[in-house]
Amino acid sequence: MNITKADVLSMTVPTPFAVGPVNCFLIKGDVLTLVDTGPRTPEAQRELNEQLKNHGYAFEDIEQVVLTHHHPDHIGLVGGMMERGVCVLGHWKNDRWLQMSDSFLKENDTFMTSIYREAGVADQYFNHARDAREYLAFTDRAKCDIHLSEGDAVPGCSEWTVMETPGHAQSHISLWHKETGTMIAGDHLIKKISSNPLLEPPYVKGTERPKPLIQQRDSYRKTLDAHLQYVYTGHGEPILNPDDLIKERLRKQEERSDKVALLLRKQPLTAFEVCKELFPGVYKKQMGLTLSETIGHLDYLESENVIVKKKDKEQTYYRYKL
Ligand SMILES: [Zn+2]
């Protein structure tokens, strides 16, 4: 049985984002299932319609949509689908991003502002509120009809099991077809780029924030245990030797963490100072992504007992542990 040819159809639609086009998939189960939608742009809608047609389907044929995670390039068109009665499935952690309530957007902004302050980010790079607004403009308000979590069989596609793969996004799930070692991995695994672990506010206000790089490493290891053969990804081509790629991702993260440890051996630094060293040039344009990645490494080194952090007024300094 070759599931990669038989039951999954790939479609690629354009996005306005730097990452380039996004992949959406059609699973021909008992229920015709779309995995991810593309962003809310006329170009994406047109391309999706066109490619569905090439596969012998119309947009109206889609019965349910599974969301791998809440980023607009993956969920943008879901609001329109929901209005047409398409059933929406995803992890419950998508909900706050799908609902986009004013109070949550404010909470997210307050959270990121406190992260930036604590990291010692220079004032001119406090663009997170504007960036979030621009980013979220490519999606519609929606809600999940059915929540999926670890180990669930996807309704109507029961040979596909849900694997929670947080790190890149707290809401991230991948769909695993155990019999053939196939996975639809969203942005959990991408062949040409390593997806950023991204900071998000805690789900319960006042509790400790999630540590996305540590989560991502756990998700990588869990994926290794599945002994996959073939991985469909959210961007770019499928992965034929996923275990090699995952091991490479884990190794590269360790190398970058070693680099951070070396910097901190010389002197205590704020996260922003480490970020500038790790991503010279890039950080100015991509403060949110590069700072998330940097704090991810600092979280990791702290969890490994290599460094400690100390608050000094508003800022936090990281110090190498002797
Ligand atoms: Zn993403």
Side-chain angles (χ1 to χ4, degrees), residues 149-283:
S149 53
E150 182 74 20
D152 285 350
V154 178
C157 304
S158 56
E159 65 280 25
W160 291 88
T161 307
V162 173
M163 187 188 283
E164 292 181 354
T165 45
H168 173 66
Q170 293 304 309
S171 59
H172 207 297
I173 57 166
S174 300
L175 305 183
W176 177 28
H177 192 277
K178 195 172 177 183
E179 194 190 329
T180 56
T182 304
M183 178 172 272
I184 299 177
D187 287 354
H188 168 48
L189 286 172
I190 299 174
K191 189 172 178 182
K192 293 272 166 66
I193 45 170
S194 64
S195 50
N196 295 83
L198 294 175
L199 289 166
E200 290 180 38
Y203 276 79
V204 179
K205 241 183 179 171
T207 58
E208 205 183 355
R209 66 167 169 81
K211 295 185 171 162
L213 187 131
I214 295 174
Q215 290 175 312
Q216 190 177 45
R217 291 177 64 78
D218 288 343
S219 295
Y220 283 156
R221 280 189 283 260
K222 182 157 73 167
T223 312
L224 270 181
D225 289 342
H227 304 296
L228 299 173
Q229 303 292 320
Y230 196 91
V231 176
Y232 292 102
T233 65
H235 303 275
E237 49 193 287
I239 302 164
L240 298 172
N241 46 354
D243 285 5
D244 290 350
L245 187 87
I246 296 167
K247 286 178 196 160
E248 166 90 0
R249 292 276 179 270
L250 285 164
R251 197 173 53 75
K252 282 269 163 66
Q253 280 183 335
E254 285 151 23
E255 279 175 16
R256 189 167 271 168
S257 280
D258 286 348
K259 200 174 160 187
V260 174
L262 217 62
L263 285 169
L264 295 174
R265 253 183 121 127
K266 293 182 201 147
Q267 59 181 326
L269 295 169
T270 64
F272 181 53
E273 288 166 336
V274 175
C275 182
K276 288 195 284 188
E277 292 285 336
L278 277 186
F279 305 102
V282 187
Y283 77 91

Side-chain angles (χ1 to χ4, degrees), residues 108 127-137:
N108 185 47
N127 297 324
H128 51 283
R130 187 201 63 202
D131 291 351
R133 251 194 323 278
E134 285 177 7
Y135 189 48
L136 293 171

